[in-house]
Amino acid sequence: MNRKSNFLTYLLALIPGVGYMYLGLVIKGIEFLSIYLLLEPVLGLIGFGYLAHILKTVIWFYTFIDTIHVARRIDNGEFVRDEEFIFKKFGKDINFENSSGLNRKGWVAAGWIFVVIGILAILNKMFNTTAF
């Protein structure tokens, strides 16, 4: 792997996920960038928007520090595998008939999480008295 610029690595690590993509870890980068960008709208939709800033700060610090750590590993000649960080249990085998129970259970759990988020969003919109 070609040596990357340390300055650009630090600069791009300021945006969660973009530093990973610069280092060649596109899957991990897209995953973190998507989570970072969607966190506030989703939590705001269900009435927990105040938590978004706290969680986004944690994600920002984690991705910044981890991007610098991964860059050092790559500079030392270590092979760093580009794989999912959050969703690795969900997407390995989408064919439910031939999949293991763990993957099916992961997709079912993700589905239920989205159902609960949807219900909370509807309830928040129905009973929200503020003019946001």
Side-chain angles (χ1 to χ4, degrees):
M1 184 173 266
N2 295 336
R3 180 159 165 61
K4 303 290 183 175
S5 165
N6 286 337
F7 175 73
L8 277 176
T9 301
Y10 282 108
L11 188 65
L12 294 174
L14 293 172
I15 305 169
V18 177
Y20 289 130
M21 289 186 263
Y22 175 68
L23 295 173
L25 306 174
V26 177
I27 295 171
K28 191 173 184 178
I30 289 173
E31 186 176 69
F32 271 107
L33 183 61
S34 300
I35 290 170
Y36 186 81
L37 293 176
L38 292 174
L39 194 62
E40 191 168 357
V42 170
L43 289 178
L45 187 66
I46 61 175
F48 293 112
Y50 58 91
L51 289 176
H53 299 295
I54 297 167
L55 293 173
K56 285 176 83 172
T57 302
V58 170
I59 291 171
W60 185 89
F61 275 109
Y62 173 80
T63 56
F64 181 78
I65 293 168
D66 191 51
T67 300
I68 303 308
H69 177 71
V70 168
R72 285 187 185 146
R73 288 175 48 199
I74 291 172
D75 285 345
N76 290 335
E78 185 178 338
F79 175 74
V80 179
R81 189 175 184 154
D82 185 19
E83 60 186 4
E84 299 93 352
F85 179 74
I86 303 292
F87 300 114
K88 65 178 150 186
K89 297 246 189 247
F90 293 123
K92 293 298 183 198
D93 190 5
I94 300 207
N95 183 3
F96 289 138
E97 294 176 13
N98 296 329
S99 68
S100 67
L102 178 65
N103 290 332
R104 181 176 174 85
K105 288 178 185 175
W107 280 108
V108 170
W112 277 108
I113 288 170
F114 285 121
V115 168
V116 169
I117 288 173
I119 291 170
L120 289 173
I122 291 169
L123 291 174
N124 184 45
K125 293 297 179 185
M126 285 175 45
F127 298 113
N128 192 1
T129 57
T130 59
F132 289 106

